[in-house]
Amino acid sequence: MDRMACLDLPAFPLQLLLRQHPEWRGYPVAVVDSDQPRGIVLWVNAPARDARILSGMSFAAALSLSGDLRAAQVPEAQIDRAVAAVSRRLREHSPHVEPSEEEPGVFWLDASGLEPLYGSLDAWAAGIETDLSAIGLSAVVVVGFRRFATYALAKSGQGVRVLHEAEQEQGALQDVPLERLAIAPGIRDALAKLGVHSLGEFLRLPSEGIRRRYGKAAFDLHRMASGELNLPLQPERPVAPVTARLILDRPETDVERLMYLIETRLPPLLDALGERGQALEELRLLFRFERLGEHKERIRPAAPTLDARQILELIRLRLSAARLPDGVEELHLLTRAVSPEQRQLELLAARPRRDLEAANRALARVRAALGDQSVVQARLSSGHLPENSFAWEPLSRLEPARPRMRLQRRLVRRLYRRPIPLPPRPRHEPDGWMLHGLEQGPVTRVWGPYVVAGGWWVRALHREYHFAETRKGELLWVFYDRVRRGWFVHGRVE
Amino acid sequence: MKAAFSDLQRGLEPSRTPVSWGLATFRGRFAEISGGEATAALTLTMSLVAEAQQCEEPVAWVTGRDSGFFPPDVAAVGIDLSALAVVWAQGALEAARAADLLLRSGAFGLVVLDLGTDDDLPLAAQTRLAALAKKHETALLCLTRKERERPSLGSLISLRADASRTGRAPPLFRCETRILKDKRQGPGRTFAELCHGPDGLS
């Protein structure tokens, strides 16, 4: 009989957060959907639960219960990356691994035929748990026979559990509380009113009645719990990335010679991607230096491409900007590919005067020459502090502009990245308030104050903003920071 | 003779004829917009960015990391921030290098180099940038911070304008541009417009 295992990483985002901040262990910790007072608490650890902090609360309410609370967001991209990393690690224990699409942190593994290799399935499952704890993740592993049964038992158990008989598995399933399963809260509460709290009690209800009263989701749950519906393992089929590795006879310090080597290795890689029907989205260059160790560079063309000349130009720009500090002993070329979208219909569209594709290629060249973070765009956000009212984000692709019709002309401010501290304002100012010294003259007019206060949930802030005009006409945007007790220039009207 | 002499005299006075302040004036030219203490250079350059976006011309803004335009003010004048490529460059040389790569593509209608007080652009770089701007009909603007008495970036600057706030008619501010150098139409012309202040300034 086929064997299957389910691995659950309970409160996976919370585990990732604690792995990122090991100094937070022992404190109440929560994962929130946004780092703002109205943010919702999604996951909490045991010390937070002891402080009566529960998921679903607002961040502000949770902080009012415990001032020691540590909280942060865990972005979806980070969770996806962690799931991919765990999948790769699990493939060392089983050839077939299926990560759950609905619940990140749940994995199914094929355990068939592994007993002779590991001595017993207990040893195999314990090995998985030990391996994951080595990277700071706590796991529950249940080895059984059916997909749903192992999942339900993993959700309601702890540590490692191996079921040796199918009947034993079905028996253990009877005691699983319904609240541990991903079941709609409305159905769960309706069943609780009938005194149905466990899977065993649920299974005693007639399936047809469940379908009529509670719908398809509850009906499917009943069928899966009874064994009537049993989905097979649907493992990932990872495709090995196209890579090339060069081990040099002697350390190379000349960029031109290194470029020649790359030129010879890159076209076969692009051909291999072309055969797969893919295009290069990103090329990673991994240099192993003689003394300085490893160094990575990422090259991203403006759009996925198989054009070797374009990519070589970007590599040349990057390498000429960052001179080789040491002899290169080894070079890896790793490709990240995507399936290109079909764009034939665009041929029929009217073309603007300027070529946006050429603009994006130029921006990719700038990125290659000045660094990945050198090309950005501004995005407005809802922060109430001036520096939080927008964010700089990497500009991956320049799109056609959609400007709004201008309602009125307005003066534009220049903002300093770090506010510039001003000397303390003396109690007596015989010549007036001198912001910049004698040359600019004293301040002749002040607008304000406009108070910006808040941040008490992280770090209290109280700023009083003013516009100050000097005799020479300079219009400075200054603020008095009550917490730091000092004046700062934050910008100027230009 | 006397009449001709009076014409000459009149020619030395700054003309008060309003000129159009638009992208067409700068297309294919290497220009400098400067301002001293009461400057309005950033505001007037942003009006060019807005016009470029209305004309479907891609725009790139090359600036340092220490300071830059305040995005909420820029969005308030109607500019689409998501289509304004901002390039962070350290120093004038790196900014010139970035501008070279952008201009060479011929895909941008307006490239702004926000140089501030660091305006030491080598003549070789200026020559290359001016030629590229002309070839691709791109407006290349350098924003500098200097008084009008100080010389422009170099002899290759085709148009130099001094932008300043010259007065106030509450709640509006008067922004004036004076053309100090124009290789095509001659200097001395002025352009003025009234602008609202940012929130809290009137």
Side-chain angles (χ1 to χ4, degrees):
Chain A
M1 185 178 270
D2 285 348
R3 303 302 303 268
M4 185 183 277
C6 180
L7 180 135
D8 179 35
L9 300 166
F12 187 45
L14 184 67
Q15 290 203 45
L16 294 178
L17 187 62
L18 283 169
R19 200 169 63 160
Q20 203 177 339
H21 297 280
E23 72 279 6
W24 287 2
R25 286 186 192 278
Y27 288 97
V29 180
V31 175
V32 287
D33 69 344
S34 69
D35 193 0
Q36 288 181 342
R38 286 187 187 176
I40 301 294
V41 173
L42 300 175
W43 304 94
V44 291
N45 66 350
R49 272 195 297 275
D50 293 344
R52 291 179 294 144
I53 298 169
L54 300 172
S55 53
M57 280 181 174
S58 69
F59 186 11
L63 260 177
S64 70
L65 291 170
S66 171
D68 282 340
L69 180 68
R70 268 78 171 150
Q73 285 174 259
V74 180
E76 214 166 288
Q78 188 187 344
I79 296 173
D80 291 345
R81 279 199 302 273
V83 167
V86 172
S87 286
R88 274 198 301 277
R89 213 171 174 98
L90 291 177
R91 271 196 287 277
E92 290 171 13
H93 298 273
S94 170
H96 301 130
V97 176
E98 178 192 345
S100 168
E101 284 179 10
E102 290 84 25
E103 283 185 71
V106 173
F107 301 83
W108 285 277
L109 296 91
D110 186 1
S112 304
L114 296 175
E115 208 161 359
L117 197 61
Y118 289 87
S120 69
L121 285 176
D122 300 74
W124 174 73
I128 294 174
E129 194 206 18
T130 311
D131 189 23
L132 290 177
S133 68
I135 54 167
L137 293 173
S138 157
V140 180
V141 187
V142 173
V143 184
F145 298 86
R146 286 196 297 121
R147 183 192 180 89
F148 177 78
T150 52
Y151 164 77
L153 292 169
K155 279 284 170 191
S156 59
Q158 282 183 336
V160 175
R161 185 173 185 184
V162 180
L163 302 154
H164 296 284
E165 301 290 337
E167 292 74 26
Q168 184 192 358
E169 182 184 75
Q170 192 61 24
L173 206 57
Q174 307 294 314
D175 302 327
V176 173
L178 284 178
E179 63 183 20
R180 294 295 181 96
L181 305 175
I183 178 172
I187 298 172
R188 183 194 60 204
D189 295 345
L191 290 168
K193 283 180 189 167
L194 298 174
V196 177
H197 300 283
S198 67
L199 267 179
E201 290 160 350
F202 182 61
L203 281 172
R204 280 193 282 279
L205 298 174
S207 63
E208 187 52 32
I210 287 172
R211 189 180 64 79
R212 265 188 282 138
R213 282 188 181 207
Y214 304 113
K216 188 174 181 306
F219 179 59
D220 285 346
L221 178 70
H222 193 276
R223 288 172 71 207
M224 285 191 288
S226 65
E228 193 184 323
L229 179 65
N230 189 20
L231 291 175
L233 190 75
Q234 294 156 46
E236 281 185 316
R237 306 220 177 273
V239 181
V242 176
T243 63
R245 186 178 178 198
L246 288 98
I247 299 173
L248 308 179
D249 294 337
R250 58 191 175 87
E252 187 57 78
T253 52
D254 186 72
V255 171
E256 284 304 317
R257 281 200 293 266
L258 205 60
M259 274 306 300
Y260 173 74
L261 291 172
I262 295 171
E263 276 177 34
T264 56
R265 296 300 194 281
L266 188 63
L269 292 184
L270 296 176
D271 291 345
L273 290 180
E275 282 170 18
R276 290 183 183 184
Q278 292 181 315
L280 181 85
E281 189 189 30
E282 184 179 290
L283 179 71
R284 288 182 190 180
L285 298 166
L286 180 67
F287 299 93
R288 195 184 299 280
F289 289 110
E290 190 179 11
R291 286 186 298 273
L292 298 177
E294 286 186 355
H295 176 72
K296 281 181 197 164
E297 290 286 352
R298 291 192 318 160
I299 304 290
R300 279 179 74 94
T305 181
L306 290 173
D307 182 5
R309 203 177 52 178
Q310 199 187 123
I311 298 160
L312 285 169
E313 187 193 352
L314 298 180
I315 299 172
R316 193 178 291 279
L317 280 166
R318 177 63 58 86
L319 292 187
S320 62
R323 296 185 181 281
L324 295 176
D326 190 10
V328 178
E329 283 186 324
E330 202 175 321
L331 175 65
H332 285 243
L333 304 175
L334 295 104
T335 59
R336 204 174 79 187
V338 290
S339 299
E341 52 187 300
Q342 301 296 320
R343 309 189 71 169
Q344 280 88 339
L345 288 177
E346 286 184 11
L347 295 171
L348 304 173
R351 290 195 168 273
R353 183 167 170 248
R354 304 276 178 182
D355 182 3
L356 261 184
E357 290 303 319
N360 279 306
R361 283 197 293 275
L363 291 172
R365 284 187 200 107
V366 172
R367 263 193 296 272
L370 306 185
D372 285 331
Q373 303 300 317
S374 59
V375 182
V376 294
Q377 65 179 8
R379 187 178 57 80
L380 298 183
S381 57
S382 56
H384 61 295
L385 285 176
E387 62 268 34
N388 293 344
S389 60
F390 67 93
W392 293 112
E393 291 180 342
L395 177 64
S396 52
R397 189 167 173 75
L398 191 66
E399 298 291 347
R402 288 190 298 273
R404 288 184 294 127
M405 287 304 290
R406 194 163 33 168
L407 299 173
Q408 56 178 221
R409 294 182 186 276
R410 273 174 67 128
L411 293 175
V412 176
R413 281 168 283 188
R414 177 181 293 280
L415 189 78
Y416 297 120
R417 192 170 160 224
R418 293 209 173 112
I420 303 165
L422 288 170
R425 195 173 173 183
R427 198 174 286 267
H428 299 289
E429 298 170 310
D431 300 320
W433 185 17
M434 310 294 273
L435 279 172
H436 267 326
L438 291 171
E439 253 185 48
Q440 271 67 33
V443 171
T444 54
R445 188 165 176 190
V446 176
W447 289 262
Y450 306 104
V451 178
V452 178
W456 50 267
W457 54 94
V458 183
R459 186 167 57 90
L461 279 165
H462 186 104
R463 293 182 189 171
E464 292 165 6
Y465 275 89
H466 303 74
F467 289 98
E469 190 176 29
T470 64
R471 184 172 288 166
K472 276 206 162 183
E474 197 176 21
L475 252 175
L476 294 163
W477 196 28
V478 297
F479 69 86
Y480 180 72
D481 192 327
R482 280 216 175 273
V483 180
R484 288 193 277 176
R485 295 186 179 183
W487 284 92
F488 295 83
V489 182
H490 208 170
R492 57 200 297 269
V493 178
E494 287 192 6
Chain B
M1 181 69 187
K2 195 177 175 183
F5 187 68
S6 68
D7 283 351
L8 267 177
Q9 270 191 328
R10 197 166 59 243
L12 293 173
E13 291 168 1
S15 164
R16 291 288 163 194
T17 316
V19 295
S20 64
W21 178 263
L23 199 61
T25 313
F26 295 90
R27 212 181 282 281
R29 302 178 81 178
F30 182 29
E32 179 182 359
I33 302 176
S34 60
E37 303 301 338
T39 180
L42 190 63
T43 300
L44 292 166
T45 308
M46 280 302 172
S47 69
L48 296 175
V49 173
E51 189 190 338
Q53 287 198 341
Q54 297 282 359
C55 302
E56 298 182 3
E57 294 272 28
V59 184
W61 188 281
V62 184
T63 181
R65 283 177 190 254
D66 294 338
S67 71
F69 60 78
F70 185 46
D73 284 353
V74 175
V77 297
I79 291 170
D80 180 4
L81 288 170
S82 65
L84 176 59
V86 177
V87 175
W88 280 337
Q90 205 165 11
L93 266 180
E94 207 170 274
R97 193 170 171 221
D100 188 314
L101 291 167
L102 297 171
L103 288 171
R104 204 168 283 281
S105 70
F108 289 89
L110 172 62
V111 174
V112 181
L113 298 185
D114 187 359
L115 297 173
T117 51
D118 180 15
D119 59 351
D120 191 15
L121 270 183
L123 196 63
Q126 288 188 36
T127 311
R128 209 166 48 244
L129 295 179
L132 286 169
K134 188 176 178 186
K135 181 182 174 189
H136 297 293
E137 287 193 9
T138 301
L140 174 61
L141 298 187
C142 291
L143 263 182
T144 56
R145 192 175 170 193
K146 62 172 78 157
E147 298 296 337
R148 66 176 62 171
E149 294 80 24
R150 288 185 49 204
S152 64
L153 283 173
S155 58
L156 289 162
I157 291 288
S158 170
L159 188 152
R160 158 109 189 263
D162 179 81
S164 57
R165 272 179 287 106
T166 53
R168 196 163 57 227
L172 298 169
F173 290 81
R174 186 172 190 271
C175 297
E176 188 178 289
T177 309
R178 186 167 176 187
I179 308 295
L180 302 178
K181 171 184 176 183
D182 188 343
K183 288 185 177 176
R184 290 185 189 169
Q185 295 182 50
R189 291 164 303 129
T190 57
F191 164 77
E193 68 175 21
L194 293 171
C195 296
H196 287 266
D199 293 337
L201 181 67
S202 58

